[in-house]
Amino acid sequence: MAQEKGTAVPALLSKAELLKQGAEARVYRAEFLGKPAIVKERFPKRYRHPVLDEKLTHRRTVQEVRSILRCRKAGISAPVVYFVDYTSHCIFLEEIVGSSTVRDHIVSTQQSCKDQELERLAQRMGQILARMHDEDVIHGDLTTSNMLLRRGVKDEESDLVLIDFGLSYISALPEDKGVDLYVLEKAFLSTHPNTEALFQKLLKSYTASSKKSSAVIKKLDEVRLRGRKRSMVG
Amino acid sequence: MHLTQELELFPEHRVTLLLFKEVKNAAELRKSAMEGKINGALINPTMLVDPFQVLVAANKAVHLQKIEKMKTRNLYSEIIFNLSPTNNISEAFKRFGISDGDDSVMVVVVHNKDESQLLTDIVAKVDGRQVSVEDISSLSDSAKIKKLYKVTPQEEKCGTLLDAVVCRMATKDVL
Ligand SMILES: Nc1ncnc2c1ncn2[C@@H]1O[C@H](COP(=O)(O)O)[C@@H](O)[C@H]1O
């Protein structure tokens, strides 16, 4: 396809540091108006019809920035949106400098056997996800890699920052929230072996924090059952 | 005193911010700007939290100019429009442009590498005292800013007022 006439973003990205090449998007590190930034670029999927592809990609970009704003307004940390280019489907975000993923943090903390610290972290994750779901934001791709820990100032607890809202959407349905938790449970338990009890702590804290948790947990149980049946058949 | 930032996306462009206090000719400046005789955007600094807010508006304006999608007549009106949380153009000018009685003004100039003459011209036109751009925080009216951008107390727990403002500016076209 001919390059979008006018947009300067591709030229910048050609010189930026590529952090991740995904199936839907590339993630770069770049400077934006003097600040460290992360650029997320959604690229065309060649197997899709170009018009449909353009529509879907645009919608995903819009949903991503809307969900980030909605979370931030509710006091849930997510990167600041600096700039969006809807012609090259790029989002410029605040880089959470000096952060580590929750995934890496759990792996290193497990090795040093600091169980209490992990439990506190699981509780915080539960609280934040409960608040996010109470705002009807469905993340769509919850994993421990899509949560960052920003080192706190002084002795404060480090801040938990949600990232990668690329598959997110708005829904009030307990089913959608249950599936969101199910996706996390699958990812959590397969990434971090022997953490069933830890994940239960997360769910307990979710249940205690969300006003609408009972319907969601019920759906989670249903989805688990469905998942198990399916895998027995398949 | 002034602040010049390169636009990484448009390496041939620079944005320079100049801040003036004790301005006595705001009405005249506004008239000149409307007649296109001033090469810059004249902004009411009480609605500004930080120079970065203005840079974000300027970057977006240059971008929209390049892709021919500006919502207003020229680059400088577009910068003022981009500062506003809403898509109402006249409201944006009322809130973020200067008014005849104002005694402080932020001037935003977009230029290429060779800037000196442009800046000298602006400084000559303003009857006021140039101060450091970093002084912007002493002029900003955060209560008014929070009200206009509808910033909630919860949101300030997970970030600064600047974060909240920039997020709204960057996403207002799709809200
Ligand atoms: N806003 C951000 N600040 C810091 N690192 C980030 C940010 N966004 C993404 N990353 C890093 O880039 C990786 C891929 O991003 P993503 O595809 O959004 O999950 C993440 O696992 C993080 O390590």
Side-chain angles (χ1 to χ4, degrees), chain A residues 19-20 27 29 38 40 64 79 93-97 99 101 145-146 148 163-165:
Chain A
L19 290 183
K20 187 181 140 191
V27 179
R29 178 184 281 131
I38 296 287
K40 183 155 178 179
E64 179 154 11
L93 298 160
E94 162 198 19
E95 180 180 1
I96 312 299
V97 178
S99 61
T101 64
S145 302
N146 283 337
L148 302 180
I163 61 165
D164 198 358
F165 287 83

Side-chain angles (χ1 to χ4, degrees), chain A residues 48-61:
Chain A
R48 278 202 297 241
H49 187 282
V51 175
L52 176 68
D53 183 66
E54 177 71 24
K55 264 198 181 146
L56 281 173
T57 310
H58 180 78
R59 194 192 304 156
R60 285 267 160 80
T61 305

Side-chain angles (χ1 to χ4, degrees), chain A residues 9 15 35 46 53 90 92 102 116-117 128 183 190 213 215:
Chain A
V9 176
K15 288 173 280 166
K35 291 191 197 261
R46 308 219 175 262
D53 183 66
C90 287
F92 287 64
V102 166
Q116 273 194 332
E117 196 186 320
I128 285 168
V183 167
S190 68
S213 60

Side-chain angles (χ1 to χ4, degrees), chain A residues 81-93:
Chain A
V81 181
Y82 287 153
F83 171 60
V84 188
D85 176 11
Y86 298 100
T87 55
S88 64
H89 309 294
C90 287
I91 306 176
F92 287 64
L93 298 160

